[in-house]
Structure formats: structure tokens, C-alpha cells
Amino acid sequence: MGLFKSQRFSDIKAVASGPVIAIGLTASMGGFLFGADTGQISGFLIMRDFLRRFAQFKPEEEEKNGVPYGFNNVREGLVVGLLSIGCLIGALIAAPISNRLGRRMAMISLCGVFLVGNTIQIASFHAWYQVAIGRFICGLAVGGLSVLVPVYVSETVPKQIRGALVATYQLFVTMGILTSYCVNLGTSHVDDGPWSWRGALMIGYLWALILMGGMFILPETPRYLLSQGRKDDCIKALKWIAGKKNKGNQALIESQYQEMSSMIHEEKSFAKKSFFSSFDPKDKVMYRTILGFALQMFQQLTGANYFFYYGTTIFQSVGLTNPYVTQIILGSVNVVSTFPGLWFIERYGRRKPLIFGGLWQCAWLIVFAVVGSECDQNSKTVGSVLIFSACMFIFGFASTWGPGVWVAIGEIFPLRVRSHSASFATAGNWSWNFLLAFFTPYITSSIGYRYGYVFAGCNLIGVLIVFFFYYESSNLTLEQVDQMYTDPDTKPWKSSSWVPKGYSSRREAAEDEKERADINAGLREDGRTQHIENADRQGSMDSHTTKESTNAI
């Protein structure tokens, strides 16, 4: 086992080229945009100038807010939640846009949409609905990017580090949230006027421009290029992604090209697909689409945004004089906890982190609900326990369900419906994001901290869904994941033992692939006989196709 871990680390190191890392970091700025918007609005709701301009006149609120203004539940829910409605629509339209323009150009276009929405918010003076409309337009971009970033990364980077780089999207979401908390703290001290919130919004231009500029440099995904018949462009993209250190390893590029070519050829044997093709019961396509929707829905129902959207009001009993400090505490835990999450996904696979993470979250939500509803809320000790249990919950979420669900969305769908199914699945995230953002003020005013019991129950349901329906896809290519889901003899709770045909274990498949690449590259001159056997076992393409693609390289 130690030898395999060492070999696996060596494999990861071998494929982790500079371009691969650049792809993961640049594309994940789409997550940063979402995190930045989420963190901003929670701070704006307590800024005095924002309240004076957009809230209702409420003299009784002056002691709490510093000004005689406050939001009612409807207006607050709409200002907070319309971003999620925009995200929902953006997620649904991302598929047809990306299929027509390509993943890369679609992401660039969505960055432009974000800049427009941000400008509308900055230009607001007294109309609260103008802020809400601007957030809705920003949501169109953020929702579309939430679909395309995992798809782009999954279709571009090698499988050895695919999980970690797709999960980087969630890491950037947490970094965006924390950055906005810090920006809000800074602008609130610099100016008590309109620049307290306009300044924070203007900084948002920077994040969108970084993503837009980076995507102009990065290539289109090889899988998309090949699916459009652009073979030469596909090979160029594979060479660029391989980087300088793998520039001479034609076997690695050839292996990736042939695997994609074989699967895409099979996909094209099907009729042209529409959005409704995602609900075709054949090959468990509908199964996987609904599973993706359920995973995204229960990621929201874990209760994470309960703390991120309304954290400043939840912990008033803690006695912190500056509510921004509470935000920064929660945001810091969120960011730091995501790093072990990236390791969990690569070390323990996809299913185990979600199962044990859900149980961990459930336990701490019960502690939160019991202490908050049954103990003296005016006690600082009780307040400290509440914020500690919230931090423990966020640790679990950020290291399991936060990144884990985005990894699942990038892996479980077959190529022919990947964009459509990912759009529908991600719509589950944004629709429930809005429902929670809009109705939480009503619910908390009615049941208070007992809301934690509701989320605890949802975490248990999420665990059951993962156990009974979600397949283990770690250390498999996207094409092999598709084969696993269509294997009638494989059950989700036993899927970790599934291996590609011709192998006795995934370990053997990974080692054999590395050995085959080394032999093809001429690194093992004495292993050519074994290479032929391995190539046969992998089901290589006919000699004419192999020769043609090799010459192209």
C-alpha cells in the first residue's frame, strides 16, 4: 500500500504541470465571484448608508442599526435572494450557450454579464429594487459559471488531480466570502457614506476581469474541441496542457487523445441531444441527472448559508461589539477547512467524505439547536458554545459537502448530456439557495435556534442519498465513470470495488496506465511486449486511426 501511495504521488506530480495548475486556479475564479457576492450582501445589510438609502423608516431600529431604518422580511429576502434566482436561470442557460460558443467563450461572455450587473448596483441611489435587479444580473453570470467551471476543469485536467482541482472551485468560493468580509470591514471604517458599500462593489470588478483575462489565455477543453471535429485544435490543447515537462511525452498525449476519441465516437452514434435528453432512462442518464440535482439541493439544506447570509444576527448573544468580526471568524474557518477537504477527496474518495461529513454536520447542528433553544441566550458562555458549534459545523461542510458536491457534478454525467445535466443539477443548488435566503427571516422569527433541528434532519437525508445512490468515482477517467454507472452488476455502496475491464483493481489500472505511457515514450525499452498486451486490454483503436493521430501529434 505504501508503494502504491508513493506511485500515486509520483503520478500526480508527473501530470501537475504549470498549465494544469493555471487552469484550476484561473477557472475557479468563477467560484470567487459567487463567494464575493455572498459575503458582500451580508455586510451591506448592516451598513448605515445602505440602510438609509434602501431600507424602510423604522425608528425602533435605531438602537440596533445606528440609524432609524431597517429591512422588513420581504425586502431583505428579495435583496439577498434575487442573486440566487439569477443563478438558477444562469445555470439553466449555461448548457446551450457553452455548446454553441464553447466552454471557454461562454465563461468569457458571462464575465461581461457580471460586470454589467455590478455596474447597475453601483449606480443605485435610493431604489432598492435597482440593487436587487443588479444582483439578479450578476446571478446570471455566477450561476452559469457554477455550471461551466466544474465542466471546464473536468474536461481539461488529468484524472489524477481532477478531484482536487474541481474542488478548488469551492475553495475559491470560501476565499471570496472571506475576502468580502474583510473588504466590508475596511470600507465601513474608511467611509460611513455611499463608498462604504460602493467601494466594496467596485473591487468586485477586479475578480471578474481576472477570470475574463485568464480565459483569453487558456485553451478550449480538448473534449469539446474533439466533439466538434476540431482534431488538430484538440491535439494542440493537449500539448499545451501537458506543459514543458511533458512536452516530449507523446505517449501521454496519444493515450488521452485515443481515450477521448473512442468515447466521443461512441457518443456521436446517438441522435443529437436536447435538454430533455438528460431525462433519458437509458444508461442511467435520468438517474444521474436527478442524483446531481439532489446532491446540489442537499448541499444547500446542510444549513451552511443559514450562517453565511444571516450570521451577524444569529450571534448577537455572543456580545461581540463589531458584527464584522463574527463574519470574519466564520469566513476564516470556512477557508482554512477547505484545504483538508481537497486532501480528503483525493485520499478517501468521494463517498466517504460526504457520508461522514454529513453525520458530523448533523451532530453539531443538534448541539447548536439544543443550546440555542434550551439555554439562557443572554449568557456569554452560551453564546460562545453557539459560535463554536457553528465553527465545527462549517469545518465539516467546508471539508466535505462544500467541495465534494462540485466534484460529483463534474464527474457523473456522460459527455453527450454533460452540459444539460450539469445545468439542471446546479439549478437545484440555486433554487434552494433562494428559498433559504428568502424564507429564513420568517422561519427564524418563528422557531429561532430550533431551525438547527431542521437542517440536522436534512443532513441525515443527504447521507442516505449518498450511501444508496452515489457511486465512487475516484481515480477513474470520465469515460470509466460512465462505464461504471452503466454496469448493472455494480451497486453504489459497493462501487469502490468496481474496476475497468481487464483489471483486478483500480490500483492495477492506474499503475498499468503509467507503465503503458512510460513504455510508449521509450522510457522502458525492455517492456514492449507488455505494452502490446496492455494496449490490447485497453481496447485500442484500429491501426489506421492510431497512425493518423500519432502523425498529427
Side-chain angles (χ1 to χ4, degrees), residues 12-203:
I12 292 174
K13 186 178 179 180
V15 298
S17 64
V20 167
I21 302 301
I23 287 169
L25 296 180
T26 303
S28 293
M29 282 300 297
F32 197 99
L33 286 178
F34 170 53
D37 261 27
T38 299
Q40 279 178 348
I41 194 60
S42 59
F44 291 175
L45 293 177
I46 59 175
M47 289 182 177
R48 288 192 289 270
D49 185 78
F50 194 83
L51 289 167
R52 282 192 293 262
R53 290 172 180 271
F54 305 116
Q56 291 97 338
F57 180 71
K58 292 184 177 182
E60 68 275 11
E61 295 289 330
E62 184 164 11
E63 182 177 351
K64 185 176 90 171
N65 298 328
V67 291
Y69 295 91
F71 285 100
N72 62 24
N73 289 337
V74 174
R75 187 174 297 188
E76 181 177 9
L78 288 174
V79 170
V80 174
L82 271 180
L83 174 79
S84 302
I85 292 296
C87 289
L88 170 62
I89 297 173
L92 292 174
I93 65 176
I97 292 176
S98 69
N99 286 341
R100 179 175 293 272
L101 301 180
R103 316 315 192 204
R104 174 174 163 271
M105 286 306 302
M107 292 172 68
I108 291 173
S109 301
L110 289 171
C111 287
V113 173
F114 181 89
L115 295 175
V116 171
N118 212 44
T119 302
I120 291 173
Q121 293 181 74
I122 291 173
S124 302
F125 281 90
H126 297 287
W128 67 270
Y129 49 83
Q130 184 174 342
V131 176
I133 291 171
R135 283 178 56 78
F136 171 80
I137 294 174
C138 285
L140 294 174
V142 172
L145 290 170
S146 71
V147 174
L148 296 182
V149 168
V151 170
Y152 179 86
V153 176
S154 293
E155 291 186 353
T156 305
V157 303
K159 72 175 187 296
Q160 291 89 340
I161 56 174
R162 185 181 65 230
L165 289 183
V166 172
T168 303
Y169 175 86
Q170 179 63 25
L171 172 62
F172 272 57
V173 171
T174 65
M175 292 173 63
I177 292 172
L178 177 59
T179 300
S180 284
Y181 288 166
C182 295
V183 169
N184 284 344
L185 175 61
T187 57
S188 67
H189 284 305
V190 171
D191 181 31
D192 192 33
W195 290 106
S196 59
W197 53 276
R198 281 182 180 156
L201 284 169
M202 290 189 71
I203 293 175

Side-chain angles (χ1 to χ4, degrees), residues 400-473:
T400 58
W401 275 80
V405 169
W406 293 110
V407 172
I409 297 306
E411 293 180 339
I412 65 176
F413 305 121
L415 176 63
R416 63 184 181 275
V417 296
R418 183 168 295 146
S419 296
H420 293 302
S421 294
S423 294
F424 178 79
T426 308
N429 184 297
W430 300 120
S431 58
W432 282 91
N433 189 308
F434 169 75
L435 291 173
L436 289 172
F438 185 81
F439 288 107
T440 287
Y442 295 95
I443 296 173
T444 53
S445 64
S446 178
I447 64 176
Y449 291 96
R450 291 182 177 85
Y451 203 12
Y453 292 127
V454 177
F455 289 123
C458 291
N459 275 274
L460 286 180
I461 297 174
V463 167
L464 293 176
I465 288 174
V466 171
F467 182 82
F468 286 107
F469 300 102
Y470 181 44
Y471 288 71
E472 179 56 64
S473 56

Side-chain angles (χ1 to χ4, degrees), residues 328-347:
I328 292 174
I329 291 173
L330 298 179
S332 299
V333 172
N334 195 26
V335 171
V336 173
S337 302
T338 305
F339 286 99
L342 304 182
W343 182 76
F344 289 160
I345 288 170
E346 292 302 328
R347 174 62 180 84

